[in-house]
Amino acid sequence: MYTQGGANQKVFHMKRDATCTCCCFNRPVVEIMDVTSNQIFGSISDPFACCNLTFDVKDHTDQEVLAANGGCCQWGLCCPLPCGPCAEVNFDLNDPSGQGVGKLKKKVPNCFKFFLAPDVDNFNVDFGGVSHPQYKALVMALAIFMDFRYVKDHTENEVLKANGGCCQWGLCCPLPCGPCAEVNFELNDPNGQGVGKLQKKVPNCCKFFMAPDVDNFNVEFGGVSHPQYKALVMALAIFMDFRYFNENPNDDEGGVLGAMAGDGDGDGDGF
């Protein structure tokens, strides 16, 4: 989180470690840190609740200071749309005694933003009886945490696909001459349109025998214009090299066979 007015000074940091959650065991928790003091001043957890959406907000002593309850029968959760009851999700904020102290509302953006900029988020926070500055920061953090837990679409969009086939001499018998001297991958967009090429070149005879760990890659970005996608293609070259070419001692078996059958634990069992 940053200060208001477009300032570039970070003030709060949210950290959530990866957890393996099952029903009531090991529920997700996010910690909120004051960047200026580097101290954790609160946390938010998503406790197990049957047919209910609840969050517990705790201070630095792990004492509950607020609780958020969103129920389960809200149209905005099941069918978010930019109109009617489907356009919002409401959470009541209560103190430890159960007294209402505020409200948190997630608003689906208008039709224009809904279709053209679906990643835009609108939140209305009514602090009401929440007066402590740190508790207000925790409520804002709760809005983000709630959004990622139940509202945000976490699906990943495929942007590129690489295809190298299986009938390439350079894969089966890499040598510094002829068709065995290279492996080619075609880069396609999600529609199957070719947008570039990735080529692994076996080095010349001198390097092949004296410095076999030298790698040569030719990358043709072609229709790949986004800087981040170009970086991903370069990362793909390294990943592909480790998967199919490098004799990695941590693999059960090196090269192509290791990539196809090895599990990377070095015990040789393939599991």
Side-chain angles (χ1 to χ4, degrees), residues 13 56 61 134 209 226:
H13 177 75
D56 291 338
T61 63
Q134 289 186 342
F209 291 106
H226 197 293

Side-chain angles (χ1 to χ4, degrees), residues 8-29:
N8 207 24
Q9 180 185 357
K10 185 184 291 187
V11 289
F12 301 128
H13 177 75
M14 299 173 62
K15 178 185 176 183
R16 181 202 162 191
D17 294 327
T19 57
C20 182
T21 301
C22 179
C23 295
C24 58
F25 296 101
N26 211 20
R27 299 297 300 175
V29 177

Side-chain angles (χ1 to χ4, degrees), residues 243-244 250-271:
R243 283 290 292 162
Y244 294 107
N250 292 323
D251 286 337
D252 293 308
E253 188 171 1
V256 176
L257 294 179
M260 295 174 62
D263 61 342
D265 59 8
D267 59 9
D269 60 3
F271 297 96

Side-chain angles (χ1 to χ4, degrees), residues 81-83 108-120 122:
L81 291 172
C83 57
V108 177
N110 57 44
C111 293
F112 184 77
K113 290 181 180 178
F114 183 77
F115 291 106
L116 298 181
D119 57 336
V120 172
N122 292 332

